[in-house]
Amino acid sequence: MRVNLITQSTGAHSPHASTIPISLTIKPACGIPGDYSFPTDSAALLRMLNLKTDLPTSVIKRFQGDIYSSSLAKLLGVELSDTVLTEIGYYLD
């Protein structure tokens, strides 16, 4: 399923921290209802993107920079398998 990933920082963090707490919102990219949000951290999210998507490293690095430099970061049109979505608690009908 193609989704949009939107992160929002959920707590104060040091500018030099290796991981920060975030809220990840998953929205279907096609515009249908089905938003899902859950708490995670930047390291877990980036690890999932590296291991379970076919996104180029350059795209993940840019998104990582966005996560650490602003309170809101977006990654649009990411293909996530049904298995990955289920693992993170997003259930499909």
Side-chain angles (χ1 to χ4, degrees), residues 1 8 22 27-28 30 40 44-45 47 55 57 60 77 83 85:
M1 174 179 207
Q8 186 168 357
I22 57 174
K27 295 182 174 211
C30 61
T40 188
L45 174 59
R47 185 172 39 257
L55 291 171
T57 303
I60 295 171
T83 303
L85 290 168

Side-chain angles (χ1 to χ4, degrees), residues 9-72:
S9 177
T10 59
H13 64 279
S14 163
H16 303 292
S18 61
T19 188
I20 59 172
I22 57 174
S23 173
L24 176 65
T25 300
I26 300 170
K27 295 182 174 211
C30 61
I32 62 171
D35 295 6
Y36 174 71
S37 296
F38 72 99
T40 188
D41 63 58
S42 57
L45 174 59
L46 294 168
R47 185 172 39 257
M48 185 268 300
L49 292 174
N50 277 306
L51 296 175
K52 299 190 178 186
T53 70
D54 61 356
L55 291 171
T57 303
S58 60
V59 170
I60 295 171
K61 290 281 188 189
R62 181 193 51 79
F63 184 57
Q64 179 180 13
D66 292 347
I67 290 171
Y68 286 94
S69 66
S70 70
S71 62
L72 191 69

